[in-house]
Amino acid sequence: MSRRSGQKGQVVKKGRMWHVRYYVDVPGQDKRPRPSVPIGPCTGKSKLTRPEAERKGAEIIASLGVNTAEHLERAMNLRPVVTFGQRVEWCRKYHKAWTDGKPGPIRTMESQLTKHILPRFGSLPLDAVDETAVQEFVADLKRATFEMKKPNGDYIKTYKLSRKTILNIVGVVKLVLGKKVWMTWDLDLGRPENPKQRYFTEEQLKQIIESSEGQYRILFELLAGTVMRI
């Protein structure tokens, strides 16, 4: 397997990010697809060196299981194997989240599929997208830095995904796989951040009270002095 052309993957630069490209054996196809998966930034404070990117790319390929003899045997098997990407196409036609869903949520799901999910899992057999593979996917999403661009392609800034966004992305993966597959999973998405309680400073309270009139001034003075809720 290690001598098969391109099977180890190739690390390349795409804009401000490192990507790893690799070949995947797909049942019934002579030509192997070559997906590209983001690894991490190649510029900025948190940039990865090429050796670091190559090590990370090798870890991603190993986690996907596309470089194993078992994967090749499945691909050469005469029995049809449904890939994750094929399951997505089925969902687009028949799953109620797409057929009965509102345009906004459908656009969000399609964006997450195109940018994050299908590049990672699209060419893999459904049974390869298990709890371990998704947990590693979550960890990579938490570490990754992404680019925000204008419609004309001009660079705006880099950003990291929030825990809520990653949770939504995993939700789409689960939607495609079906509850029977993931109902026993115990994914670790990390602890949610504790939002800081908003409050008015003493100076802001003074300005609010002094700019109010009549009964509202009395009400605001009462609330500020007693810390009562409205």
Side-chain angles (χ1 to χ4, degrees):
M1 289 295 296
S2 62
R3 292 192 295 271
R4 300 188 73 236
S5 174
Q7 200 70 5
K8 286 187 175 180
Q10 179 186 12
V11 172
V12 296
K13 286 184 179 180
K14 286 188 177 182
R16 298 171 181 266
M17 296 286 291
W18 290 109
H19 282 242
V20 61
R21 301 186 66 188
Y22 56 94
Y23 288 104
V24 180
D25 295 288
V26 178
Q29 294 186 19
D30 294 330
K31 186 176 181 179
R32 293 183 292 167
R34 198 182 188 196
S36 173
V37 176
I39 300 173
C42 57
T43 61
K45 293 182 179 179
S46 57
K47 68 178 181 180
L48 301 176
T49 64
R50 177 173 286 277
E52 289 173 337
E54 289 175 346
R55 285 195 296 271
K56 182 63 179 176
E59 291 174 2
I60 291 175
I61 293 175
S63 70
L64 294 175
V66 298
N67 201 27
T68 63
E70 291 79 7
H71 179 78
L72 178 59
E73 289 173 1
R74 284 198 303 266
M76 296 178 66
N77 198 316
L78 296 178
R79 293 178 299 173
V81 176
V82 178
T83 66
F84 186 89
Q86 291 171 331
R87 176 66 181 177
V88 169
E89 290 301 322
W90 182 91
C91 289
R92 286 168 173 163
K93 293 180 181 179
Y94 304 112
H95 198 293
K96 65 180 181 180
W98 277 265
T99 59
D100 301 333
K102 295 182 179 179
I106 292 176
R107 282 196 299 270
T108 300
M109 289 192 300
E110 287 295 334
S111 175
Q112 293 168 344
L113 281 166
T114 301
K115 188 168 185 178
H116 304 293
I117 302 171
L118 287 176
R120 182 72 172 242
F121 300 125
S123 57
L124 296 183
L126 272 179
D127 60 2
V129 186
D130 55 13
E131 181 180 359
T132 299
V134 175
Q135 181 64 67
E136 292 169 350
F137 178 48
V138 168
D140 290 336
L141 288 177
K142 291 171 68 175
R143 285 191 291 261
T145 303
F146 300 91
E147 289 186 346
M148 183 178 294
K149 295 183 178 180
K150 296 180 181 178
N152 62 4
D154 291 343
Y155 168 77
I156 300 178
K157 65 177 182 179
T158 58
Y159 65 95
K160 286 183 173 291
L161 298 180
S162 67
R163 182 180 184 276
K164 182 65 169 69
T165 299
I166 295 175
L167 189 64
N168 291 339
I169 293 172
V170 172
V172 176
V173 174
K174 289 181 174 181
L175 197 66
V176 173
L177 294 175
K179 190 173 183 180
K180 289 183 179 179
V181 176
W182 57 262
M183 64 185 301
T184 60
W185 290 3
D186 185 21
L187 297 175
D188 182 8
L189 295 174
R191 293 183 179 180
E193 296 181 1
N194 293 324
K196 293 183 179 180
Q197 183 66 41
R198 298 178 61 186
Y199 63 92
F200 292 115
T201 65
E202 186 175 344
E203 183 62 30
Q204 289 172 330
L205 283 172
K206 184 178 179 181
Q207 292 175 359
I208 292 173
I209 293 172
E210 290 180 350
S211 63
S212 304
E213 298 179 355
Q215 62 182 3
Y216 294 107
R217 180 163 186 164
I218 298 173
L219 173 62
F220 295 154
E221 287 180 341
L222 177 64
L223 294 176
T226 61
V227 201
M228 289 196 301
R229 295 171 181 251
I230 193 70

